[in-house]
Amino acid sequence: MFPAVYLYARTAWKGLTNAPIMAEPLELKKTLNLPKTDFPMKAGLPQNEPKQLEAWHGGNIYERILETRKGKPLFVLHDGPPYPTGEIHLGTGLNKILKDLVVKTKSMAGHYAPYVPGWDCHGLPIETQVEKELGGKGKVPPADFRKLCRQFALRYVEQHKKDFKRLGIFGRWNDPYLTMSHEYEATIASAFLDFMEKGYVYRGRKPVYWCLYDSTALAEAEVEYEDHTSPSIWVKFEVVVGGRGQAPKIGADVSAVIWTTTPWTIPHNRALAFHPDFEYAVVETEKGALLLAADRVAALQAECGIKEAKVRATFKGRDFDGMKFQHPFLPILVPGILADYVTLDQGSGIVHTAPGHGADDFNSGQKYGLEIYAPLDDKGVYLEGLPEYKGKDVFTANPIIVKLLADRGALLGNHEYKHSYPHCWRCHNPVIFRATEQWFIKMDQAASGHQKTLRQEALEEIHQVKWFPAWGEDRMYEMIEKRPDWCVSRQRFWGVPIIVFYCVDCGKRLEDFKALRNVVKWFEKEGADAWYQHTPEELLPTGTTCSCGAPKWRKENDILDVWFDSGSSNLSVLKGAEWPADVYLEGPDQYRGWFHSSLLVATGVRDGSPYRGVVTHGWTLDEQGRPMSKSLGNALYPIEICEKWGADLLRLWVGSVEYQADVKMSERVMTQLSEAYRKIRNTFRFALGNLGDFDPSRDALPNSQLEEFDAWMLDRTAELVKKCREWYANYEFHRVYHAIHDYCVVDLSAFYFDVLKDRLYTKAPGNKSRRSAQTAVWKIGSALVKLAAPILVFTSEEIWKYLPKAQGEPESVHMTLFPEAEALACGIAKEAAEKWQRLAQVRSAVLVALEQARAAKIIGGGLEAKVHLHAGSEAAGLQRLLEEKQSLLPALFIVSQVEIHRSVIAASVPAESLPGLTIKIDRADGAKCERCWNYSTHVGENARYPKVCERCSEALAEIESAQVGAAS
């Protein structure tokens, strides 16, 4: 039957040595290899992550990662600088975690991937906060105000650093880039001088967005559109004389009709614009003979309550070129002009034109030599005009001017109109278009020695960039193609001053660029504060004089647009081979912001794009699809999420969403993700629990010695590795997350690991079959933890501490490289792989039948079952496969017995998922083995272990034999 097994004990009892004695039988329970690991089931992320952070930063994890990657190909993600104001919000958290995913994945893919975080410390956002703390504007001198702005920015930079580190983001936190550093401010000033020296810069009077509250010009990127209610008015301008063709015979009783939502601009009207090709009609109404586009007569009637509108005559718009119209309340005549921007979407088809208050209006004014009239101060108060509105601000004047029009008989209609209107991005007050003297960069100017304009060069560069998603290319192209000249001046203090000097005597601007660059040297030593702390004579080289001979200079008061500051980051931060960056990653607003300004600055200074690729993420929304805000009470903050769920759960959310569209977040979402996280964690815990006695250097088997089932799973894992690495390379993080999650839950926990339990638990510890399983589990676990590391930074590090390691592997998972699919794969034959894939389908069908048998009380659990199978001709080749693999099927199905029938089984049930396969479930034959719980007809045949089956008898003999060997 079974061989006798002896243990030999060394004893001096009664003078005997090496006397053989019969050992007692082993205690069955202690012979099982049950999972054992100190890796906790409960993660406790909010409590444990800060401890890991302390260990990481205490051990200089970022620097050590870079040290291990020295000499590897360089990959640079250039960080777009946020404003250091207030608590970081969820959108900022999404942005920074996505960047961290890019950097970590590139590092683990074998790149030297530094990450230098930055902050945009200048500009209106900081000024606004400091003014709030001071209790208003103009409370301290400019130099002191700049000092307070600097202190404010530094305070929040430190807070942001702490918060970003808490999210598991690695980077050069001890030396970030700040736009207010001396070196950076000098770079900004130098870049502006480059633009000026190349002939791009000019000072001119143009309408720009103007914030009345902050008294400064705004760039398009600093304007946000919000709902606003304006007065919508229809106004008459009486025909006086002129025109072409038949228009002069139109009649003295006719009035042209305009429509506007800015009554305050009527005093500054200097023309009426007609589309040359549209048809215009004179209509007889109870409110007089009115001239407007023929297609807009119905709209006029509806909005002005006009009942009758009989057409008297029609004309083409070009007929009104040069016709004179009487201003409704000023003693001036305004001309008819022609413009292609006139539409029939709204209004009358005749555009009220105020060249001082609109881009199209201004261009028409330039074309027709109209007065660019906008006599307003920085607060929007009329400096000239009739007594009714002079001294009033424009919004206060709106109803006054409407009443003035009504009193003069020129008002046809008036009602409230709710529409999207430009607002200041910081104070959220409505802005106006106002013509002022500003500094501009010419978009359609070619630099000295260049054939193409700045616009043309930038447009060409866009096509050389890889855009994620692809629509980014068209969006950026359209932005650059249609943008006006760049207004780069601001009427503020906290920023980099425009390096311009004017002669005190003759007013001429200093154009000696060598002298001007002397100021950059001052900025390198003292920062831009030097502009406010030194005289022009100190800042300029000694003896700098004007062409008129005068030695005295005065400084320009304006500072540069903050977007010029941040757009210069590539020049300041990216050194040597780091320029251009491999990728920029920001939200969709940066197409008119940082993506935009960076492209223009880099093209203007270095003749090329500062980035090779651009990745765009969407907005963060609540569960109902609403933007998150404090006022709505739906805001979630990253630090709050870390305190409740942990940073890894937040990172899992970032990794799970298709971030290139808008993404939703809520407590329900986090609860669902916590369940997904638990399943992933438990999968790793199972692996670790079954590797407690596994030493890779001692126990790992070569691929050629692995059981075919294990080799097949390693091949499948290699396929996963290959796909995940491709997805990581294309920034498709959600695909990686879902693939890892599904593999852990479906392929491993519910299938492979489930099947392995019997082999892992019941075989002798050193049994080759068990070592095969352990080798596969170890390799799969090692591959998965590396794939998951960029997303689950804390959990992966925790797993890594418990995972058996091959010789020479680093102490941190983040210092490792991604697994290589080729090294992981066993390369089993395609035919063999297809067999296992088919057996997995059979298993799924059998599990359904087992569940039905449980429900019918035929069996209690799977090990009580005997499975009968037969495959008919419909399932080609399946019968032969089942017979070939019959000995492996009980373990695959986790049942005690499987019988393959060559003919149809009586009372069997067809498998719905596998046509041709029939299944029958009976109770298993024999008795239950007390060790493995399988049923067998051989239980009781082993006299030494009468309550175990033949499989366990073999395992016990192997265990005892190993103990003999260990003791001898």
Side-chain angles (χ1 to χ4, degrees), residues 676 679-680 683 713 716 720 724 727 734-752 784:
K679 291 178 179 178
I680 293 172
T683 301
M713 285 304 297
R716 293 185 63 192
L720 175 72
C724 286
W727 291 329
H734 66 289
R735 290 183 181 272
V736 176
Y737 158 73
H738 288 293
I740 291 175
H741 172 268
D742 293 349
Y743 199 70
C744 284
V745 175
V746 179
D747 298 83
L748 296 180
S749 294
F751 175 49
Y752 183 57
L784 287 180

Side-chain angles (χ1 to χ4, degrees), residues 69 162 193 246 290 371 393 398 412 439 518 578 638 668 798 829 888 931:
R69 304 289 190 262
K162 180 181 175 183
L193 290 176
Q246 296 300 311
L290 305 176
E371 180 185 16
D393 71 81
N398 263 336
L412 287 172
W439 289 96
N518 197 65
E578 294 174 346
R668 187 177 66 84
E798 184 185 7
L888 304 177
R931 183 170 179 270

Side-chain angles (χ1 to χ4, degrees), residues 397-439:
N398 263 336
I400 296 172
I401 291 170
V402 171
K403 183 177 185 300
L404 186 59
L405 290 167
D407 291 346
R408 299 294 177 94
L411 187 67
L412 287 172
N414 174 28
H415 65 272
E416 289 189 343
Y417 178 64
K418 188 174 183 180
H419 60 137
S420 183
Y421 187 85
H423 286 66
C424 175
W425 67 326
R426 297 310 303 176
C427 68
H428 297 287
N429 287 303
V431 301
I432 65 171
F433 250 112
R434 176 193 177 208
T436 61
E437 287 281 338
Q438 301 290 339
W439 289 96

Side-chain angles (χ1 to χ4, degrees), residues 451-766:
Q451 297 298 314
K452 295 178 180 176
T453 66
L454 178 60
R455 188 190 309 277
Q456 290 169 332
E457 290 184 349
L459 290 174
E460 287 184 357
E461 288 298 317
I462 290 169
H463 294 314
Q464 309 307 314
V465 176
K466 191 169 184 180
W467 300 87
F468 303 87
W471 53 253
E473 180 174 352
D474 289 339
R475 185 168 183 180
M476 179 59 85
Y477 195 94
E478 184 179 3
M479 289 268 185
I480 298 293
E481 183 181 38
K482 295 182 178 179
R483 69 155 297 139
D485 287 350
W486 184 1
C487 176
V488 293
S489 51
R490 297 293 181 271
Q491 292 64 50
R492 308 294 293 181
F493 294 117
W494 180 228
V496 175
I498 291 176
I499 309 303
V500 167
F501 296 89
Y502 303 96
C503 175
V504 171
D505 285 5
C506 71
K508 185 178 179 180
R509 180 164 60 85
L510 177 63
E511 295 183 354
D512 181 345
F513 288 98
K514 184 177 180 181
L516 290 171
R517 290 191 185 277
N518 197 65
V519 179
V520 176
K521 296 177 183 178
W522 279 95
F523 284 11
E524 289 171 350
K525 292 184 292 183
E526 300 182 11
D529 288 344
W531 188 258
Y532 300 91
Q533 295 168 348
H534 296 279
T535 65
E537 288 70 34
E538 291 174 313
L539 294 171
L540 293 169
T542 303
T544 302
T545 58
C546 178
S547 58
C548 74
K552 292 292 184 181
W553 302 94
R554 65 177 177 85
K555 293 177 283 188
E556 169 66 55
N557 292 322
D558 289 352
I559 63 171
L560 282 166
D561 174 15
V562 71
W563 290 109
F564 193 94
D565 289 15
S566 59
S568 302
S569 63
N570 66 93
L571 307 177
S572 177
V573 180
L574 305 180
K575 308 296 184 183
E578 294 174 346
W579 196 98
D582 290 284
V583 72
Y584 278 31
L585 188 157
E586 302 297 336
D589 53 334
Q590 297 310 315
Y591 283 91
R592 61 175 186 155
W594 190 55
F595 296 159
H596 194 123
S597 64
S598 296
L599 177 63
L600 293 182
V601 171
T603 303
V605 175
R606 292 194 178 174
D607 303 325
S609 168
Y611 39 72
R612 296 187 179 98
V614 170
V615 179
T616 310
H617 63 77
W619 303 107
T620 53
L621 310 174
D622 69 8
E623 200 167 18
Q624 284 74 46
R626 301 174 300 172
M628 291 187 175
S629 69
K630 286 183 178 179
S631 59
L632 288 175
N634 63 350
L636 289 173
Y637 293 91
I639 298 308
E640 292 176 357
I641 292 171
C642 290
E643 291 172 353
K644 184 171 182 178
W645 283 290
D648 262 3
L649 261 293
L650 179 59
R651 295 179 69 97
L652 197 65
W653 170 72
V654 174
S656 71
V657 296
E658 293 191 47
Y659 66 86
Q660 292 179 2
D662 293 344
V663 293
K664 293 182 179 180
M665 164 63 98
S666 65
E667 294 221 4
R668 187 177 66 84
V669 169
M670 291 303 296
T671 301
Q672 291 172 344
L673 278 174
S674 65
E675 178 61 19
Y677 170 85
R678 184 188 64 80
K679 291 178 179 178
I680 293 172
R681 185 180 180 88
N682 283 346
T683 301
F684 279 108
R685 190 169 187 271
F686 176 90
L688 296 173
N690 285 283
L691 294 173
D693 65 339
F694 182 79
D695 181 348
S697 62
R698 179 194 67 204
D699 303 319
L701 300 182
N703 287 350
S704 60
Q705 296 182 25
L706 296 178
E707 293 198 3
E708 191 177 70
F709 182 47
D710 301 326
W712 176 59
M713 285 304 297
L714 282 174
D715 280 357
R716 293 185 63 192
T717 306
E719 291 174 14
L720 175 72
V721 167
K722 183 179 179 182
K723 289 178 181 177
C724 286
R725 293 194 62 169
E726 288 173 356
W727 291 329
Y728 270 142
N730 290 317
Y731 313 119
E732 296 177 287
F733 307 123
H734 66 289
R735 290 183 181 272
V736 176
Y737 158 73
H738 288 293
I740 291 175
H741 172 268
D742 293 349
Y743 199 70
C744 284
V745 175
V746 179
D747 298 83
L748 296 180
S749 294
F751 175 49
Y752 183 57
F753 286 176
D754 206 25
V755 171
L756 285 190
K757 287 176 183 175
D758 183 75
R759 206 188 331 162
L760 289 168
Y761 297 174
T762 66
K763 293 289 184 180

Side-chain angles (χ1 to χ4, degrees), residues 121-134:
C121 302
H122 292 139
L124 200 54
I126 306 291
E127 287 200 38
T128 301
Q129 294 298 325
V130 172
E131 286 170 351
K132 284 181 181 177
E133 292 185 357
L134 289 173

Side-chain angles (χ1 to χ4, degrees), residues 34-147:
L34 297 177
K36 185 177 180 181
T37 179
D38 292 329
F39 181 75
M41 181 181 295
K42 187 174 175 61
L45 295 176
Q47 296 76 36
N48 294 325
E49 287 175 344
K51 299 173 187 175
Q52 182 59 67
L53 277 176
E54 188 175 345
W56 274 336
H57 295 296
N60 299 316
I61 183 67
Y62 170 72
E63 291 76 12
R64 291 177 65 197
I65 290 171
L66 289 184
E67 185 66 29
T68 64
R69 304 289 190 262
K70 270 190 175 178
K72 300 292 185 183
L74 177 67
F75 182 92
V76 177
L77 177 146
H78 182 37
D79 187 35
Y83 288 108
T85 54
E87 185 178 1
I88 65 169
H89 54 75
L90 188 61
T92 313
L94 170 73
N95 176 271
K96 289 295 183 182
I97 291 172
L98 283 172
K99 290 174 180 175
D100 191 56
L101 289 178
V102 171
V103 174
K104 283 188 169 73
T105 56
K106 293 302 180 181
S107 174
M108 294 187 73
H111 289 273
Y112 183 86
Y115 174 62
V116 182
W119 279 268
D120 194 354
C121 302
H122 292 139
L124 200 54
I126 306 291
E127 287 200 38
T128 301
Q129 294 298 325
V130 172
E131 286 170 351
K132 284 181 181 177
E133 292 185 357
L134 289 173
K137 303 175 187 291
K139 299 289 185 180
V140 295
D144 292 340
F145 183 74
R146 288 176 59 85
K147 183 178 180 181

Side-chain angles (χ1 to χ4, degrees), residues 250-281:
I250 194 171
D253 60 335
V254 177
S255 295
V257 178
I258 64 95
W259 170 80
T260 184
T261 57
T262 55
W264 63 267
T265 61
I266 294 290
H268 304 157
N269 174 279
R270 290 300 179 266
L272 302 185
F274 295 78
H275 193 289
D277 300 325
F278 289 171
E279 184 174 87
Y280 289 82

